[in-house]
Amino acid sequence: IRKGNPHIVGLLGREEEGLLRAAGFEDADDGDALECCAGAGAACTAGAGEEEDNKQACAARVPLAVIEVLGVAEATHLALRRALVEGDAPGRGALRCQDTAISMALECALLDHVGQRSADCAEAEKKRRRLAEVEDVRSPDRWREVLVSQGGEFVLDGGSLEAWLDSDADHRTLAHDLLELQTAAMRWYGTGARCHCERWREHVLDPIPSAAAAPEQESSESSARERGSKASSAEFLRQLFEDELRLLREALFAFPEQAGASPALFRESASKGADRAGGDGGSEADCGNGSAGLAECSFVAVAAPERWVISSTVLAVE
């Protein structure tokens, strides 16, 4: 930007010039222009062979700095204009930041702007993390760490299930979506949801023979043939994951049969766990644990409190 530009010359030597420099504008080599080549006021310098990389780095930094400064300037401008229109200024056309009403208007406007920017940045960061996680799930090298972080240690069985996940990125995406929903269900609905999810995980591993299992461990030839056909079928595993994902979505997001009640799917799981707590032990006992599991998954009807009536008598005092 040439300093002699009629739109710029009136800004030099004033607070507006400070805003330009905060946005990354620096004096050009000839001294007659301002160059925007850096963010946050840091000059961009390039050595031999680094010019192209330097330009790309500057292009990535400058817009954010400019947007931030322009956003603050716009919020300030709107606050001052509103104060002028509403007559908060002591005299028409005279706005001074030292005036109490003006300073309060500016402070509120800037705090609102910063708060909104913070919320926007948090949302953008959340989306960025989500995209990075999705990319890692589809990566043939990094998907195991992501699924384990979602509580999916059981999928790393060293057998057919892990091989099925390793064979296709869509399989891993499906498993990741299901693990996320199972984690949310267990966080929201406690024991009942945990019982259901643990029972399903045992079921998904049951028809898949371990890589270390020997053929003679099967009870019969027909049973081995049936289990082997299921384990080798990618369609079988895909359908198993899709059915569970659909079931959980219906349980979590469908309109409840009773307002405030946990899904029937989890209440039934907790009830089954309580019934089998004394017999099987293990995870079933942990799921049931007597009536404690039901308490987390069911709302108990509570009688409405009695209304108290307060009466008073007014006495005349001589």
Side-chain angles (χ1 to χ4, degrees), residues 57 60 89 95 105 133 159 217 219 254 270 293:
L95 293 176
E133 187 171 285
Q217 289 178 316
S219 59

Side-chain angles (χ1 to χ4, degrees), residues 148-163:
V148 168
S149 69
Q150 292 289 339
E153 296 90 346
F154 71 97
V155 303
L156 305 182
D157 63 339
S160 299
L161 177 56
E162 185 173 354

